[in-house]
Amino acid sequence: MKLSRKIFLLSAVACGMMVAHDAAHAAHHAPGDPADEKARQVLAHMSPEDKMSLLFSVDGGGFNGSVAPPGGLGSAAYLRAPAGSGLPDLQISDAGLGIRNPAHIRKDGAAVSLPSGLSTASSWDMDMAREAGAMIGREAWQSGFNVLLGGGADLTRDPRGGRNFEYAGEDPLQTGRMVGSTIAGVQSQHVISTLKHYAMNDLETSRMTMSADIDPVAMRESDLLGFEIALETGHPGSVMCSYNRVNDLYACENPYLLNTTLKQDWHYPGFVMSDWGATHSSARAALAGLDQESAGDHADARPYFQALLAADVKAGRVPQSRIDDMAQRIVRSLFAQGLVDHPPRRAPLDVVTDTLVAQRDEEEGAVLLRNEGNVLPLSPTARIAVIGGHADVGVISGGGSSQVDPIGGEVVKGPGKKDWPGDPVYFPSSPLKAMRAEAPSAHITYDPGTNIAAAVRAARAADVAVVYATQFTFEGMDAPNMHLDGNADALIAAVAAANPRTVVVMETGDPVLMPWNSSVAGVLEAWFPGSGGGTAIARLLFGKVAPSGHLTMTFPQAESQLAHPDIAGVTANNVFEMQFHTDQELVYDEGSDVGYRWFDRNHLKPLYPFGYGLTYTTFATDELAAGYHHKQLTVTFNVRNTGTRPGVDVPQVYVGLPDGGARRLGGWQRVTLAPGESRQVSVQVDPRLLAHFDGRHDRWAIPSGRFRVWLGTSAVDDSQQVSVHLPARTLAP
Ligand code: BGC
């Protein structure tokens, strides 16, 4: 065992990791909670066998060719409610971006897809995230589903993470608020939303067994803080424990994660379900805090939460009170989220309205990274050469369980890759067609970009070249490197050499390296743009809407700047095999200094920093002040639109603790201003961002001293700074 690993495990014990399971179980039932009371009444009349049946869902179909079980609609999982209980069957569907149709099992299974989670997060707009969540919640309900398996709140510790696109980025406050808002939106539609993958499931390498090793204190201040804030913001009915191990113990049988932190410290009243294939035991998992085994007939080595768990109860290894608690948590969530009183009503999807939501989400989340000489917005009468990225037919999406079957079908025929997750899926929302519709007087040509010489000729004949470049990422495997797909880097460099007015539109799952950055005029990061993506991109390019997205992940200049320049054991040649590799350990010795905090701590200059994003107007801020009243740090300032177009600014407040360490995002505000308009803004800093987690006493502690406060356009903006003295204070966990 490595020394660092030993230290983590020892400090985990010191910080109460081995807390007795009983404490977590008894504590949560809030007296007077109507959902809790209703659940209690239902369960009072239920037999032990029926209670046990609530703890185990079955495969819903589509898994390695399986069919839907009787009663199931065809989805990730199904759970038949006990007869006569008055409870609804659970129709459990993926996922965070839209309603999935695994292996095209349902005939009418196409749905509207949001842009990637990174895109929604990059809007920094909690109202937009809520509306986006409500859209997929509504589609779930109209499709007959009452449990949705999203949102994902793992921190993106590495820009090569295969599932980063499903998550929100590298900051705990930003992630917690944005994902929590999406969850609240889903649940406004009487559908349970599932906060996942709890916890430290930040990479896909060796994903079923990898041990993420981290000092528990650092974990509380980073990844777990993101989950904690998401929980407070969204109140999800369920939490999904992840595949990986955390400090050696599988997440779904990890008492520190489930009992101590989630249920005891955070008072979580809902239930914990396992990820598909993440349950490894019966008594051990149940006693650690797992409440429901997912698709246990197919996904796990054995169906643990059936006869095996019943035998554990009989033998006294698991008290009946624990089974009662598991059932109580599940039924409580059904009442709390309205599943009992508002059962799904099947109806055709309102595709037009829902696609508009996805489009607006993309319009707010795309990030303008570069705009030299105001190459954007494009002139509506320009000669424009559109090149590459299948922009003539659609936009790319990320692969895996968040993949949605496109309405209108797939528009790019791939080579027919048999391995998971198959060929990339393109949604039929063509940026080229949308650009032509947006600017009918422009002369817009299209070249597929496969032959660089032909693309260069097209670029030369135009006023502006717009190159679409993709990076396909997916669940199950991390990206072997940070490059765009195929010949994109060479194509962009050649086109930019032929036409200095070159704009690159990137449709990527992650931050990428941009070796051609300084030779192009414009860059728009469009992420995975979703069902309304083509229209959104065209409207942004022509200035029908102004870009307002800001990065939630740092774009490094090179992989050598990362906390882990290599993902343990992964090379370009073995990245596929590494997902199945066992006994992998990843020691997160950067602790809580994730992303921009790592760059700050090590004085590294990124290519584009966290928080960064341009628009078509300019803003100025002044009158920065910070005050501490009623135990609350409040930062006020004035923001003014100094340009000639309306726009949205996202001023960010960062804080630095008196004892040093990297700066942390403390809050932000999204402000829409007309030209010349100004507004007084006030941002309250979440006290946990001013504190260290005190593992010995299991609480947050704000040190006394002078705190630095930056008002910035990004995490590296030092232009405006004040300081404020705070007294020492402790906060309950
Ligand atoms: C993924 C989950 C997903 C589940 C059900 C798992 O492989 O990790 O995110 O919800 O499958 O499809």
Side-chain angles (χ1 to χ4, degrees):
M1 187 185 285
K2 289 188 195 113
L3 180 63
S4 51
R5 180 91 185 274
K6 245 187 202 152
I7 292 169
F8 289 151
L9 296 178
L10 286 174
S11 57
V13 174
C15 140
M17 197 173 208
M18 300 308 172
V19 123
H21 63 269
D22 301 15
H25 299 155
H28 78 279
H29 303 309
D33 172 355
D36 227 8
E37 286 309 319
K38 286 181 190 167
R40 208 180 303 285
Q41 281 168 23
V42 169
L43 290 167
H45 304 289
M46 208 179 264
S47 68
E49 294 71 31
D50 281 352
K51 281 183 194 166
M52 191 68 84
S53 74
L54 291 168
L55 316 183
F56 185 87
S57 66
V58 297
D59 166 39
F63 188 83
N64 288 341
S66 65
V67 296
L73 298 173
S75 69
Y78 171 72
L79 195 153
R80 179 187 293 281
S85 65
L87 299 175
D89 294 353
L90 300 189
Q91 304 279 1
I92 303 169
S93 170
D94 279 305
L97 309 180
I99 311 311
R100 184 180 183 226
N101 189 21
H104 315 296
I105 190 167
R106 301 187 312 278
K107 266 206 242 25
D108 55 350
V112 174
S113 175
L114 294 170
S116 64
L118 264 185
S119 181
T120 300
S122 301
S123 73
W124 299 62
D125 183 350
M126 292 170 70
D127 293 336
M128 183 72 248
R130 195 176 202 286
E131 208 184 321
M135 187 279 277
I136 54 174
R138 192 166 54 244
E139 289 209 348
W141 198 78
Q142 291 169 333
S143 309
F145 297 110
N146 52 12
V147 180
L148 208 51
L149 304 172
D154 294 277
L155 284 199
T156 51
R157 283 179 172 258
D158 193 301
R160 294 158 298 200
R163 299 188 86 171
N164 287 351
F165 74 93
E166 295 183 50
Y167 304 141
E170 63 198 23
D171 179 79
L173 180 70
Q174 224 274 350
T175 289
R177 287 187 179 171
M178 296 304 293
V179 175
S181 301
T182 310
I183 288 170
V186 170
Q187 295 196 152
S188 69
Q189 305 300 307
H190 315 303
V191 171
I192 285 179
S193 188
T194 307
L195 177 64
K196 68 186 191 182
H197 309 87
Y198 185 72
M200 301 300 303
N201 193 183
D202 305 342
L203 284 168
E204 294 297 277
T205 298
S206 177
R207 74 169 177 153
M208 305 301 283
T209 56
M210 139 105 77
S211 182
D213 294 345
I214 183 168
D215 179 346
V217 165
M219 179 160 63
R220 290 297 283 255
E221 293 180 3
S222 55
D223 290 58
L224 294 192
L225 182 56
F227 280 103
E228 183 179 0
I229 295 172
L231 216 66
E232 295 163 4
T233 311
H235 304 286
S238 53
V239 169
M240 186 192 292
C241 50
S242 55
Y243 284 132
N244 53 292
R245 293 176 289 145
V246 176
N247 292 332
D248 246 0
L249 300 181
Y250 278 113
C252 290
E253 50 188 48
N254 190 314
Y256 178 71
L257 289 180
L258 305 181
N259 281 343
T260 308
T261 306
L262 179 68
K263 294 183 174 178
Q264 188 178 290
D265 288 355
W266 299 344
H267 309 288
Y268 179 59
F271 67 101
V272 178
M273 67 164 79
S274 54
D275 199 345
W276 274 231
T279 306
H280 299 278
S281 57
S282 54
R284 209 166 53 234
L287 294 177
L290 177 65
D291 300 305
Q292 190 179 74
E293 180 180 4
S294 303
D297 57 335
H298 250 87
D300 295 318
R302 302 175 70 180
Y304 293 104
F305 278 17
Q306 281 194 321
L308 290 172
L309 187 56
D312 289 330
V313 176
K314 205 155 172 229
R317 289 186 290 270
V318 174
Q320 178 62 37
S321 60
R322 173 64 187 124
I323 304 297
D324 293 347
D325 173 64
M326 294 154 92
Q328 172 73 19
R329 287 171 173 279
I330 294 164
V331 178
R332 182 205 174 274
S333 284
L334 306 192
F335 279 109
Q337 302 314 328
L339 274 67
V340 185
D341 297 330
H342 305 275
R345 221 173 288 145
R346 304 287 291 274
L349 306 181
D350 185 349
V351 173
V352 174
T353 306
D354 294 353
T355 306
L356 258 176
V357 174
Q359 177 194 317
R360 284 203 305 104
D361 195 6
E362 169 64 11
E363 285 172 3
E364 288 201 4
V367 185
L368 181 61
L369 293 176
R370 188 172 168 87
N371 194 17
E372 292 301 296
N374 291 332
V375 66
L376 294 176
L378 297 172
S379 155
T381 54
R383 290 173 306 155
I384 302 167
V386 171
I387 297 166
H390 297 290
D392 56 333
V393 287
V395 289
I396 197 170
S397 56
S401 60
S402 67
Q403 177 79 66
V404 173
D405 278 7
I407 290 171
E410 296 183 25
V411 285
V412 173
K413 192 156 171 39
K417 201 165 151 273
K418 289 275 175 295
D419 294 333
W420 164 269
D423 297 325
V425 171
Y426 284 71
F427 293 128
S429 179
S430 154
L432 175 70
K433 287 183 194 145
M435 287 172 75
R436 286 184 173 146
E438 196 59 50
S441 306
H443 178 70
I444 306 180
T445 60
Y446 180 72
D447 180 280
T450 38
N451 176 327
I452 292 184
V456 163
R457 276 196 298 281
R460 256 200 210 111
D463 303 320
V464 187
V466 181
V467 184
Y468 286 81
T470 59
Q471 180 213 28
F472 178 52
T473 61
F474 53 90
E475 172 184 340
M477 197 174 111
D478 295 317
N481 54 49
M482 293 187 65
H483 296 304
L484 290 166
D485 291 338
N487 69 350
D489 283 336
L491 174 70
I492 295 167
V495 169
N499 188 336
R501 289 172 63 77
T502 290
V503 175
V504 179
V505 178
M506 304 201 295
E507 297 172 16
T508 69
D510 283 324
V512 288
L513 299 179
M514 299 158 62
W516 34 262
N517 181 53
S518 58
S519 59
V520 302
V523 180
L524 181 71
E525 173 56 89
W527 311 112
F528 292 145
S531 296
T535 310
I537 291 169
R539 280 160 54 88
L540 288 162
L541 291 178
F542 284 101
K544 185 61 76 61
V545 285
S548 60
H550 288 253
L551 295 181
T552 63
M553 283 189 77
T554 305
F555 275 53
Q557 301 196 41
E559 284 161 285
S560 57
Q561 290 184 313
L562 301 175
H564 303 276
D566 300 304
I567 300 175
V570 174
T571 66
N573 298 329
N574 71 359
V575 65
F576 183 77
E577 290 74 34
M578 281 304 287
Q579 63 185 309
F580 308 112
H581 191 256
T582 52
D583 297 327
Q584 186 83 13
E585 284 173 39
L586 220 162
V587 180
Y588 286 113
D589 43 14
E590 75 276 26
S592 62
D593 285 335
V594 183
Y596 69 89
R597 296 188 190 178
W598 170 260
F599 276 70
D600 191 35
R601 177 171 118 187
N602 294 289
H603 311 291
L604 296 164
K605 192 174 177 310
L607 181 61
Y608 290 110
F610 176 92
Y612 181 81
L614 301 172
T615 185
Y616 297 150
T617 187
T618 47
F619 297 97
T621 46
D622 57 13
E623 296 175 23
L624 171 63
Y628 189 67
H629 306 288
H630 306 298
K631 299 184 175 168
Q632 174 63 57
L633 174 60
T634 304
V635 181
T636 55
F637 52 90
N638 191 56
V639 52
R640 188 158 40 95
N641 183 341
T642 52
T644 54
R645 304 172 69 107
V648 176
D649 195 16
V650 184
Q652 302 141 39
V653 170
Y654 294 87
V655 291
L657 274 57
D659 43 6
R663 76 181 73 183
R664 304 160 167 193
L665 178 72
W668 74 89
Q669 190 63 269
R670 208 171 182 275
V671 198
T672 306
L673 293 172
E677 195 186 355
S678 64
R679 182 141 344 129
Q680 185 73 22
V681 173
S682 154
V683 171
Q684 302 209 319
V685 177
D686 187 305
R688 286 164 294 196
L689 274 316
L690 302 166
H692 294 296
F693 192 75
D694 171 357
R696 194 163 298 278
H697 300 102
D698 202 19
R699 65 187 181 194
W700 295 93
I702 301 180
S704 88
R706 202 143 266 293
F707 284 67
R708 298 208 282 170
V709 175
W710 291 267
L711 172 60
T713 53
S714 77
V716 301
D717 184 355
D718 280 331
S719 58
Q720 291 179 73
Q721 197 190 131
V722 289
S723 69
V724 58
H725 184 274
L726 264 57
R729 197 185 141 208
T730 55
L731 313 157

